[in-house]
């Protein structure tokens, strides 16, 4: 699902300093004299936008950097000019917002400080570089502050009703579910042998709290009771954060009472007695009312801002000069019942996508047209269907169109459950989801000459100071840290994780054979703490498996719902015809892909 993205809103909210910081003026240009700005290219509500202004903006748009041609040029032009039109309409609407000279001066000072323009000469050089006078800069900053205030005004004026807040909680209850907690005691000691002895005593029935008071380096006064304050000795519910990561993983994987450990972490040994496991639960509305109100306010503000910008654009009266150097073709590409979807609405999320921008910069812009445009249009069609259904439901959904569509799906797929049998079957069919990947602590040493690599390997097997041994053979040391498969360069990854045999061991750990890298250099790897891939036992992941089953059911039910809405709706998709119409006669029209398009996660609001 797509809408006005966070990125777009961020640009609208951002101050001019952000543009200056990257050496570009993204939204605004100085008010030079008409003659210096060239001919008018278009008029927005009767106000001219000049050729030089557009060329300056165009020069800072990465989509133009690859010099798009033909159909792609028309699409980029349309997207670019749509942004210009909306920005100009926004400037005009925000012109009535009051901004004082003190606010402008404060922002100028902030820009100067951010860019290191403290003295007058540096500031004047900067102004000269970007083509501004001080007065023009202050005028533009005032405009930008007016826009920011106007958008904030729209957002803050959108107040959710009590009914909307409660319904928001009903739809998004899972978002407020707390973390799992445990009531537990722990014993922390410095020696592995002592930890093992204490485990034996605890298993034999000795009082764990008494053992903690006598031996633990942490919380002895509380009898090892976690969450207990000074003078207290009873454990209180705590989350994973109170334990070292390795200890927390073992404690919470148990999902019930019992002894855990000893586990080494940070040079100490942890023995934990879990008295009670408290699974995550959805709080009552009253418990999280304050946070829900904030979230509902933000959602309603998003919806109000989106509606405001759409209305501003719809009301804008736009006229283009006959000899415009740009091609603006904002044609309807689809119709969902009575709602039209225009080309620019599809181009906005497509051209905001980093994958699309990368393809265009590599000269592969036609791929972006072929794959992402049809895919995005289908998402927008589905969004319109869901938003329309949400309105017809009579329920008080709030937010942007994206948020409403997603909330409607959540609401219609609520209440699904999963049995342990279903969870077990899912676990058996999807073992990779419940597998702890293999890992190893890896250090690489690279040499230009094979003979030096071999000499280092022989020395490493005997032991010594790593840096000194590497330096003696002119080697470069790289600490990769603890890695899992596919995190190392390909050749090294195969050496560590695809070769079944371990390497010969020395004082520094395992020492690999000398391997030749793709760039012609030679590497030796030192490997420690090698751990194989481990499938977590089902009893440790039963709740996670149930959640994944429920998610799968929701997705299936959601897809079925969308298909039902499609069947009941009147949908016209004219994208192929529009692209064919816009393609120059000498260029083959872009066609939707014959094979499945690459999947892209929906943009979240």
């Amino acid at each position: 699902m797509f809408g006005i993205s966070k990125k777009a809103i961020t640009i609208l909210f951002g101050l001019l300093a952000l543009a200056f910081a990257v050496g570009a003026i993204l939204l605004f240009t100085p008010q030079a004299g008409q003659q210096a700005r060239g001919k008018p290219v278009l008029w927005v509500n009767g106000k001219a936008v000049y050729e030089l202004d557009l060329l300056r903006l165009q020069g800072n748009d990465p989509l133009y950097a690859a010099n798009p041609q033909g159909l792609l040029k028309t699409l980029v032009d349309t997207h670019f000019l749509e942004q210009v039109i909306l920005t100009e309409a926004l400037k005009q609407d925000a012109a009535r917002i009051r901004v004082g000279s003190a606010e402008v001066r404060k922002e100028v000072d902030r820009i100067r400080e951010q860019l290191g323009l403290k003295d007058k000469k540096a500031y004047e050089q900067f102004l000269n570089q970007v083509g501004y006078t001080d007065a023009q800069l202050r005028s533009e900053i005032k405009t930008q502050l007016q826009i920011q205030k106007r958008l904030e005004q729209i957002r803050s004026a959108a107040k959710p009703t009590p009914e909307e807040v409660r319904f928001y909680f009903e739809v998004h209850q899972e978002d407020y579910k707390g973390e799992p907690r445990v009531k537990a005691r722990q014993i922390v000691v410095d020696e592995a042998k002592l930890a093992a002895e204490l485990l034996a005593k605890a298993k034999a029935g000795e009082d764990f709290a008494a053992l903690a008071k006598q031996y633990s380096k942490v919380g002895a006064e509380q009898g090892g009771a976690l969450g207990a304050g000074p003078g207290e000795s009873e454990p209180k519910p705590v989350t994973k954060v109170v334990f070292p990561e390795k200890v927390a993983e073992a404690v919470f994987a148990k999902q019930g009472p019992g002894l855990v450990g000893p586990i080494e972490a940070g040079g100490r040994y942890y023995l934990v007695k879990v008295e009670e496991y408290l699974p995550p639960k959805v709080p009552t509305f009253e418990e999280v009312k304050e946070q829900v109100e904030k979230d509902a306010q933000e959602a309603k503000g998003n919806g109000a801002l989106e509606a405001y910008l759409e209305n501003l654009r719809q009301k804008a009266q736009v006229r283009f000069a006959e000899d415009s150097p740009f091609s603006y073709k904002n044609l309807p590409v689809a119709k969902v019942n009575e709602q039209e979807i225009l080309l620019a609405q599809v181009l906005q999320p497509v051209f905001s996508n980093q994958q699309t921008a990368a393809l265009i910069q590599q000269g592969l812009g036609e791929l972006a047209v072929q794959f992402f445009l049809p895919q995005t249009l289908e998402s927008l069609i589905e969004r319109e269907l869901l938003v329309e259904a949400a309105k017809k439901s009579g329920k008080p959904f709030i937010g942007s169109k994206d948020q409403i569509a997603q909330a409607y799906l959540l609401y219609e797929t609520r209440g699904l459950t999963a049995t342990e049998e279903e969870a077990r079957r899912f676990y058996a069919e999807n073992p990779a989801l419940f597998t702890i990947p293999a890992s190893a602590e890896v250090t690489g040493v690279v040499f230009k000459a094979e003979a030096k690599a071999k000499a280092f390997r022989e020395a490493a097997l005997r032991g010594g100071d790593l840096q000194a041994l590497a330096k003696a053979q002119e080697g470069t040391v790289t600490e990769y840290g603890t890695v899992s498969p596919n995190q190392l360069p390909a050749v090294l990854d195969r050496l560590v994780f695809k070769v079944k045999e371990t390497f010969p061991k020395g004082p520094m750990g395992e020492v690999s054979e000398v391997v030749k890298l793709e760039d012609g250099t030679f590497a030796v790897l030192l490997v420690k703490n090698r751990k194989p891939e481990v499938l977590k036992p089902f009893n440790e992941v039963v709740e996670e498996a149930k959640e994944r089953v429920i998610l799968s059911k929701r997705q299936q039910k959601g897809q079925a719902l969308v298909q039902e809405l499609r069947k009941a709706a009147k949908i016209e998709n004219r994208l192929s015809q529009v692209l064919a119409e816009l393609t120059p006669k000498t260029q083959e029209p872009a066609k939707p892909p014959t094979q499945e398009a690459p999947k892209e996660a929906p943009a979240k609001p």
Side-chain angles (χ1 to χ4, degrees), residues 12 51-52 64 105 131 166-167 170 184 222 231 245 272 284 291 311 322 335 340 423 501 503 568 588:
L12 291 172
E51 186 175 23
L52 181 59
Y64 283 106
R105 182 169 59 252
R166 275 200 170 270
F167 186 69
E170 183 180 345
Q222 288 81 30
E245 187 175 349
V272 181
T284 65
Q291 184 60 49
N311 184 56
E322 293 183 4
K335 195 171 184 180
E340 279 189 341
E501 298 79 12
F503 309 133
E588 285 292 320

Coordinates of all heavy atoms in Angstrom, one line a residue, residues 12 51-52 64 105 131 166-167 170 184 222 231 245 272 284 291 311 322 335 340 423 501 503 568 588:
L12 N 8.7 17.9 3.2 CA 7.9 19.1 3.4 C 8.1 19.8 4.7 O 8.0 21.0 4.8 CB 6.4 18.7 3.3 CG 6.0 18.2 1.9 CD1 4.6 17.7 1.9 CD2 6.0 19.4 0.9
E51 N 11.7 29.4 -15.8 CA 12.5 28.3 -16.4 C 13.8 28.1 -15.6 O 14.2 27.0 -15.3 CB 12.9 28.8 -17.8 CG 13.7 27.7 -18.6 CD 13.9 28.1 -20.0 OE1 13.9 29.3 -20.3 OE2 14.1 27.2 -20.9
L52 N 14.5 29.2 -15.2 CA 15.7 29.1 -14.4 C 15.5 28.4 -13.1 O 16.3 27.6 -12.6 CB 16.4 30.4 -14.3 CG 17.7 30.4 -13.5 CD1 18.7 29.5 -14.2 CD2 18.3 31.8 -13.4
Y64 N 17.3 13.0 -12.7 CA 17.7 13.6 -14.0 C 19.2 13.4 -14.2 O 19.7 13.6 -15.3 CB 17.4 15.1 -14.0 CG 16.0 15.5 -14.2 CD1 15.2 15.9 -13.2 CD2 15.4 15.3 -15.5 CE1 13.9 16.3 -13.4 CE2 14.1 15.7 -15.7 CZ 13.3 16.1 -14.6 OH 12.0 16.5 -14.9
R105 N 15.8 35.0 12.2 CA 17.1 35.2 12.6 C 17.7 34.0 13.3 O 18.8 33.6 13.1 CB 17.2 36.5 13.5 CG 18.6 36.8 13.9 CD 18.7 38.2 14.6 NE 17.8 38.3 15.8 CZ 16.7 39.0 15.8 NH1 16.3 39.7 14.7 NH2 15.9 39.0 16.9
G131 N 24.0 31.4 -4.8 CA 23.3 32.4 -5.6 C 22.2 33.2 -4.8 O 21.2 33.5 -5.4
R166 N -10.8 4.8 21.4 CA -11.1 3.4 21.8 C -11.1 2.4 20.7 O -10.6 1.3 20.8 CB -12.5 3.4 22.5 CG -12.4 3.8 24.0 CD -13.7 3.3 24.7 NE -13.5 3.5 26.2 CZ -13.0 2.6 27.0 NH1 -12.5 1.4 26.5 NH2 -12.9 2.8 28.3
F167 N -11.6 2.8 19.5 CA -11.6 1.9 18.4 C -10.2 1.7 17.9 O -9.8 0.6 17.5 CB -12.5 2.5 17.3 CG -12.6 1.5 16.1 CD1 -13.3 0.3 16.2 CD2 -12.0 1.8 14.9 CE1 -13.4 -0.5 15.2 CE2 -12.1 0.9 13.8 CZ -12.8 -0.2 13.9
E170 N -8.8 -0.9 19.9 CA -9.4 -2.2 19.6 C -8.7 -2.9 18.4 O -8.4 -4.1 18.3 CB -10.9 -2.1 19.3 CG -11.6 -3.4 19.0 CD -13.1 -3.2 18.8 OE1 -13.6 -2.1 19.1 OE2 -13.7 -4.1 18.2
A184 N 12.2 -14.5 39.3 CA 13.3 -15.4 39.4 C 14.4 -14.9 40.4 O 14.4 -13.7 40.8 CB 14.0 -15.5 38.0
Q222 N 19.5 -9.6 48.8 CA 18.1 -9.9 48.5 C 17.9 -11.4 48.2 O 16.8 -11.8 47.7 CB 17.7 -9.1 47.2 CG 17.5 -7.6 47.4 CD 18.8 -6.9 47.4 OE1 19.7 -7.3 46.7 NE2 18.9 -5.8 48.1
G231 N 16.4 -4.1 51.1 CA 15.6 -4.6 52.2 C 14.5 -5.6 51.8 O 13.8 -6.1 52.7
E245 N 22.6 -11.1 27.5 CA 21.8 -11.6 26.4 C 21.7 -13.2 26.4 O 20.6 -13.7 26.2 CB 22.4 -11.1 25.0 CG 21.6 -11.5 23.8 CD 22.2 -10.9 22.5 OE1 23.1 -10.0 22.6 OE2 21.7 -11.3 21.5
V272 N 20.3 -19.5 37.4 CA 19.0 -18.8 37.6 C 17.9 -19.8 38.0 O 17.8 -20.9 37.4 CB 18.6 -18.0 36.3 CG1 17.2 -17.3 36.5 CG2 19.6 -17.1 35.9
T284 N -5.2 -3.7 29.4 CA -6.5 -3.0 29.3 C -6.4 -1.7 28.7 O -5.3 -1.1 28.7 CB -7.2 -2.9 30.6 OG1 -6.5 -2.0 31.5 CG2 -7.3 -4.2 31.4
Q291 N -0.9 6.5 26.1 CA -0.1 6.2 24.9 C -1.1 6.0 23.7 O -0.7 6.5 22.6 CB 0.7 4.9 25.1 CG 1.6 4.6 23.9 CD 2.6 5.7 23.6 OE1 3.3 6.2 24.5 NE2 2.7 6.1 22.3
N311 N -6.2 17.9 -1.3 CA -7.2 19.0 -1.6 C -6.5 20.2 -2.2 O -7.0 20.8 -3.1 CB -8.0 19.4 -0.3 CG -9.1 20.4 -0.6 OD1 -10.0 20.2 -1.4 ND2 -9.0 21.5 0.1
E322 N 3.1 27.1 -23.9 CA 3.1 26.3 -25.1 C 4.4 25.7 -25.4 O 4.5 24.6 -26.0 CB 2.5 27.0 -26.2 CG 1.0 27.4 -26.0 CD 0.4 28.1 -27.2 OE1 1.1 28.2 -28.3 OE2 -0.8 28.5 -27.2
K335 N -9.2 3.3 -12.7 CA -10.4 3.8 -12.0 C -11.0 2.6 -11.2 O -11.1 1.5 -11.6 CB -11.4 4.2 -13.1 CG -12.6 5.0 -12.6 CD -13.4 5.6 -13.7 CE -14.5 6.5 -13.2 NZ -15.3 7.0 -14.3
E340 N -10.7 7.9 -9.5 CA -9.6 7.8 -10.5 C -8.2 7.8 -9.8 O -8.0 8.4 -8.7 CB -9.6 9.0 -11.4 CG -10.6 8.9 -12.6 CD -10.4 10.0 -13.6 OE1 -9.8 11.1 -13.2 OE2 -10.9 9.9 -14.7
A423 N 0.6 -25.3 15.4 CA 2.0 -24.8 15.6 C 3.1 -25.8 15.4 O 4.1 -25.5 14.8 CB 2.1 -24.3 17.1
E501 N 35.2 -30.1 7.7 CA 36.2 -30.3 8.7 C 36.7 -29.0 9.4 O 36.6 -28.0 8.8 CB 37.5 -31.0 8.0 CG 37.2 -32.3 7.4 CD 36.5 -32.2 6.0 OE1 36.5 -31.1 5.5 OE2 36.0 -33.2 5.5
F503 N 39.7 -26.7 11.3 CA 41.1 -26.5 11.0 C 42.0 -27.0 12.1 O 41.5 -27.1 13.2 CB 41.3 -25.0 10.7 CG 40.4 -24.4 9.7 CD1 39.7 -23.2 10.0 CD2 40.1 -25.0 8.5 CE1 38.9 -22.7 9.1 CE2 39.2 -24.5 7.6 CZ 38.6 -23.3 7.9
A568 N -16.4 -7.6 -6.5 CA -17.6 -6.7 -6.4 C -17.4 -5.3 -6.9 O -18.4 -4.6 -7.1 CB -18.0 -6.6 -4.9
E588 N 10.1 1.4 -28.3 CA 9.2 0.3 -28.0 C 8.4 0.7 -26.7 O 9.1 1.0 -25.7 CB 9.9 -1.0 -27.8 CG 10.4 -1.7 -29.1 CD 9.2 -2.2 -30.0 OE1 8.3 -2.7 -29.4 OE2 9.3 -2.0 -31.2

